[in-house]
Amino acid sequence: MPTKAKAKAKVNLGPSAGPANRAALIAAAREVFAEAGFMAPLSSVARRAGVGQGSLYRHFPDRIALAVAVFDDNITALEELGARPDSTLVDLFDSVAEQVIASTALIDMILSERNDQRAEHLATRMTAVAAALLARDQDQGRLALHVEPADVMLAISMLAMLLARTPDGERTEAATRARAIFRAAFVPVQPVQPPHPPKK
């Protein structure tokens, strides 16, 4: 009786597979944490990425390292957004909201571990993106000159905290309302015209 054919073994590409495996693990972590929370088994991440757990731990020795990598990937996307000459701070808020909605499981973790040396650079990178877009908007008269990068970062943090604590079905509406509030707070103040005196 013929035996069943053995499953085709996965080709070991050695070190050359490292960058591709790392990218696959980050993408898988974003999906798994969104579906099952930050404490989801890391074996699920490795399985979703199609790599062994040994490969996972070579790239990311613990859960925090993996979460930081997800945020680094998010910020890279925001940096690319900021590099486009037509991008505005409104676009940044929109993109941050989309990222937070997709990664709410990671928000509390990254905030609680913000003093971890591996996470300290995240705020620096994010502030640089916000500052560049703020300066551009102010130069073009879209935002008030009194707004500082620290104000923008506070608004982004508030947006992230709000969405992380809002039920899934209500996050899109909450993000829309929050962005509208921030835009109203940052636009240049228009002089108030006095009411016309009543005609005699």
Side-chain angles (χ1 to χ4, degrees), residues 55-97:
S55 178
L56 185 151
Y57 287 114
R58 279 195 297 275
H59 289 286
F60 308 108
D62 57 29
R63 195 176 296 271
I64 294 172
L66 185 55
V68 168
V70 173
F71 274 94
D72 264 323
D73 200 53
N74 286 351
I75 294 176
T76 295
L78 297 177
E79 288 171 339
E80 292 171 354
L81 169 73
R84 298 204 301 261
D86 59 339
S87 294
T88 68
L89 205 56
V90 171
D91 297 323
L92 180 64
F93 279 129
D94 289 345
S95 295
V96 168

Side-chain angles (χ1 to χ4, degrees), residues 24-45:
L25 285 164
I26 292 172
R30 182 181 285 107
E31 295 175 358
V32 169
F33 291 153
E35 295 168 4
F38 179 60
M39 296 310 295
L42 293 185
S43 58
S44 299
V45 175

Side-chain angles (χ1 to χ4, degrees), residues 38-39 63-64 67-68 71 104-120 122 161 165:
F38 179 60
M39 296 310 295
R63 195 176 296 271
I64 294 172
V68 168
F71 274 94
T104 53
L106 301 177
I107 296 301
D108 285 336
M109 186 287 308
I110 207 68
L111 289 175
S112 67
E113 301 293 340
R114 61 183 176 273
N115 293 325
D116 188 302
Q117 290 184 348
R118 293 169 295 179
E120 288 177 351
L122 296 174
M161 294 287 287
R165 286 162 174 72

